[in-house]
Amino acid sequence: MKGIEREPLPGFRDFEPADCAQCNFIFNQWRSVAHTFGYEEFDGPIVEPLVLFTQKSGPEIVEQLFAFQDKGERAIALRPEMTPSLVRMVGKRLATLKRPTKWFNITEQFRYERPQKGRLRSFYQFNADIIGESSSAADAELIALAIATFQKFGLKKEHFHVRLSDRQLWVLWLKAFGVDQEQEVGALLGILDKWERRSPENIQEDLTASFKDSTKATLFLNTTEVLRKARTLDAIRECFHNCQPSSDMEALEQRLSEFKILLQELENLGVRDWVTLDLTIVRGLAYYTGFVFEVFESGDQGRALAGGGRYDHLFEKLVGQPMPAVGFAAGDVTLTDLLRKQTLFPSYQSAVDCYVVFEQTERQRALLLVQQLRAAGFSVLYSLDLQKDLGKQQKKAYADDPHYVITLTHELVSQAKTQIKGAESEQIVDLKSLLEYLKQ
């Protein structure tokens, strides 16, 4: 009979103890930083109604989900992200919600995609959101949190940076070319989001199909290439001034003013040097409404480590009530690769505090001691083999490399004593003072 498959399903991972320790290290760092920023932790179900995701992202999202019908004939899906669940949960209590609300969570997500480097079908994400605050101070606070999470691991400016953009500026740019219908705007934003991954010929084809005019498509391509290279607000303003179609300069100046406030707030928070103005960041998800950003690994082949932005219309779309919101998510897969590359993971140590060895005549007393040590918070091992003599127990104990080996022999126990051996010392200790000795 054929044995079971020894490898996990494609896109999924096994976590052996050392891997699990690294994963928990990441979780603990994420959680620690979130608490310092005053965030509260939440969680939700691993499965949700399918409509929650299709209503947010459209029916085409189903192809990217682990979607199925349960035994109650309900259409459900494993969560691919946390934002829809967050909106659903917060939507139940909007009337009593304190504002702003700052929530975070660390959850496993699932997406039915082709597994590749840095992208799996199962992954963990750190999600953080600010709900109920429309000012750019919330955007700045969130970006500062994103930066702090990576700094917490010992990463520096030579390791990562933030690319900051604005969907509203892109919407104004599209309006300058006569594009103002929601569906058309969404289609062109999708083209802009994939711009870097497409050849100029493919982009030209896509734009011609959208504009239904090759001349206009060429003009849009050429002028947009200039805008994409702008790295200051003045350079953006110049691009709009030079744009041959008419631009709404009043709306532009208003938005540039808001952008300037955001940059100043980032300066006030001490993180401005980590941030580059970069309109090549568009963010593919349609629900973003304002400032968007991505955290990238530095270097020519740097990969995205995190991303997010403002999504002020999603609450109204999903729960029928407007509510400003901004959030971001960081995944564990690319972060793990980066931390390993920079050797920033702590070394894995599996050693327990104590290993208790004993002559079999003292088994009852030894197991009582084991329970006392565990109750006091020490990790303790002992031999489960009922026949193993003291010498074989000691051999096993030293192989497991605990901090201390505690030995109970008949002679020692008759004197109410035990031997305790550490890496650099060996002493005979009274049993009644053993706990105090270990605590010291």
Side-chain angles (χ1 to χ4, degrees):
M1 181 171 150
K2 186 179 178 181
I4 62 170
E5 177 60 53
R6 299 188 180 188
E7 295 299 323
L9 292 170
F12 290 78
R13 293 170 288 176
D14 290 325
F15 289 90
E16 295 187 7
D19 303 312
C20 206
Q22 289 187 345
C23 202
N24 286 328
F25 169 71
I26 289 175
F27 295 170
N28 291 337
Q29 300 296 75
W30 280 342
R31 189 169 280 114
S32 172
V33 176
H35 286 151
T36 65
F37 275 69
Y39 281 72
E40 298 177 281
E41 188 167 6
F42 78 101
D43 204 354
I46 201 169
V47 295
E48 289 277 17
L50 180 60
V51 67
L52 187 65
F53 304 113
T54 57
Q55 189 173 349
K56 168 186 168 287
S57 303
E60 62 277 2
I61 193 68
V62 176
E63 296 300 317
Q64 303 172 31
L65 305 181
F66 283 90
F68 50 93
Q69 194 171 71
D70 69 6
K71 293 182 179 180
E73 298 185 351
R74 291 174 288 260
I76 62 177
L78 297 178
R79 61 189 177 203
E81 58 169 317
M82 203 63 192
T83 306
S85 298
L86 170 70
V87 173
R88 178 185 59 73
M89 292 170 64
V90 172
K92 295 185 298 184
R93 47 183 293 187
L94 283 182
T96 59
L97 190 72
K98 68 175 184 180
R99 302 184 188 182
T101 289
K102 298 167 71 175
W103 282 10
F104 84 95
N105 78 324
I106 300 168
T107 55
E108 188 175 12
Q109 321 282 16
F110 305 88
R111 294 179 189 168
Y112 196 79
E113 301 178 307
R114 182 174 64 85
Q116 53 187 293
K117 184 175 177 60
R119 190 183 294 268
L120 300 175
R121 289 176 173 174
S122 163
F123 53 94
Y124 290 92
Q125 266 190 345
F126 170 66
N127 306 275
D129 296 81
I130 301 176
I131 302 158
E133 177 55 64
S134 59
S135 80
S136 57
D139 301 71
E141 163 90 349
L142 195 80
I143 294 169
L145 170 62
I147 292 170
T149 60
F150 291 98
Q151 291 175 321
K152 183 70 173 178
F153 295 102
L155 294 165
K156 304 182 185 304
K157 277 192 284 190
E158 60 263 31
H159 300 134
F160 78 95
H161 60 281
V162 178
R163 295 161 67 180
L164 175 62
S165 183
D166 182 30
R167 290 280 281 250
Q168 287 193 27
L169 283 175
W170 278 118
V171 170
L172 288 174
W173 184 254
L174 295 178
K175 285 183 177 180
F177 286 84
V179 181
D180 56 8
Q181 297 299 313
E182 182 177 351
Q183 189 172 359
E184 295 175 346
V185 169
L188 278 164
L189 287 174
I191 294 172
L192 288 166
D193 182 52
K194 296 180 175 64
W195 198 283
E196 288 182 338
R197 303 188 292 275
R198 307 270 288 169
S199 68
E201 294 76 20
N202 292 143
I203 296 172
Q204 177 74 44
E205 291 176 9
D206 293 340
L207 293 175
T208 300
S210 292
F211 285 111
K212 299 178 177 57
D213 181 332
S214 61
T215 302
K216 192 171 186 179
T218 301
L219 175 62
F220 182 85
L221 189 154
N222 293 335
T223 54
T224 298
E225 283 286 10
V226 177
L227 180 60
R228 282 168 47 82
K229 295 175 183 177
R231 294 294 180 266
T232 66
L233 297 182
D234 286 339
I236 293 172
R237 180 182 290 108
E238 184 178 354
C239 286
F240 274 84
H241 274 295
N242 294 337
C243 184
Q244 290 186 21
S246 60
S247 299
D248 186 344
M249 300 309 297
E250 184 177 348
L252 171 68
E253 290 302 329
Q254 175 62 34
R255 192 55 182 167
L256 291 179
S257 175
E258 292 165 356
F259 212 136
K260 186 176 181 179
I261 292 172
L262 171 58
L263 294 175
Q264 181 59 54
E265 191 71 358
L266 292 170
E267 181 75 36
N268 297 339
L269 288 167
V271 297
R272 176 65 182 88
D273 289 345
W274 299 77
V275 180
T276 301
L277 194 158
D278 188 344
L279 293 187
T280 64
I281 300 301
V282 181
R283 302 288 290 161
L285 297 173
Y287 64 79
Y288 286 117
T289 58
F291 295 116
V292 291
F293 67 93
E294 291 187 1
V295 182
F296 272 81
E297 179 183 356
S298 297
D300 293 339
Q301 302 300 318
R303 294 176 295 170
L305 302 168
R310 182 161 285 280
Y311 55 97
D312 285 348
H313 298 161
L314 191 58
F315 273 87
E316 187 168 14
K317 184 176 183 179
L318 294 185
V319 299
Q321 290 181 262
M323 177 65 65
V326 59
F328 87 95
D332 77 301
V333 180
T334 52
L335 175 60
T336 296
D337 289 345
L338 177 57
L339 295 180
R340 286 175 177 168
K341 184 165 65 176
Q342 300 298 334
T343 62
L344 289 173
F345 274 120
S347 58
Y348 173 65
Q349 299 290 336
S350 63
V352 296
D353 295 322
C354 307
Y355 200 117
V356 176
V357 299
F358 48 87
E359 292 178 342
Q360 291 296 342
T361 57
E362 305 307 319
R363 187 177 188 88
Q364 182 177 9
R365 182 66 185 86
L367 297 192
L368 176 61
L369 176 61
V370 167
Q371 293 300 84
Q372 290 172 335
L373 292 172
R374 288 172 172 171
F378 295 100
S379 57
V380 187
L381 288 176
Y382 67 96
S383 175
L384 301 177
D385 188 337
L386 294 171
Q387 306 301 321
K388 190 171 286 188
D389 63 27
L390 181 62
K392 291 181 178 178
Q393 291 178 52
Q394 289 175 325
K395 185 177 180 180
K396 179 66 168 64
Y398 295 136
D400 285 350
D401 194 26
H403 295 301
Y404 296 102
V405 175
I406 299 171
T407 302
L408 280 78
T409 64
H410 177 71
E411 181 180 357
L412 286 169
V413 172
S414 66
Q415 302 172 51
K417 295 182 182 297
T418 184
Q419 180 194 70
I420 179 166
K421 184 175 182 180
E424 299 178 357
S425 65
E426 180 178 332
Q427 294 192 46
I428 303 298
V429 178
D430 290 338
L431 278 169
K432 64 181 180 181
S433 60
L434 176 61
L435 277 177
E436 189 61 32
Y437 177 87
L438 289 171
K439 289 177 181 178
Q440 291 176 351

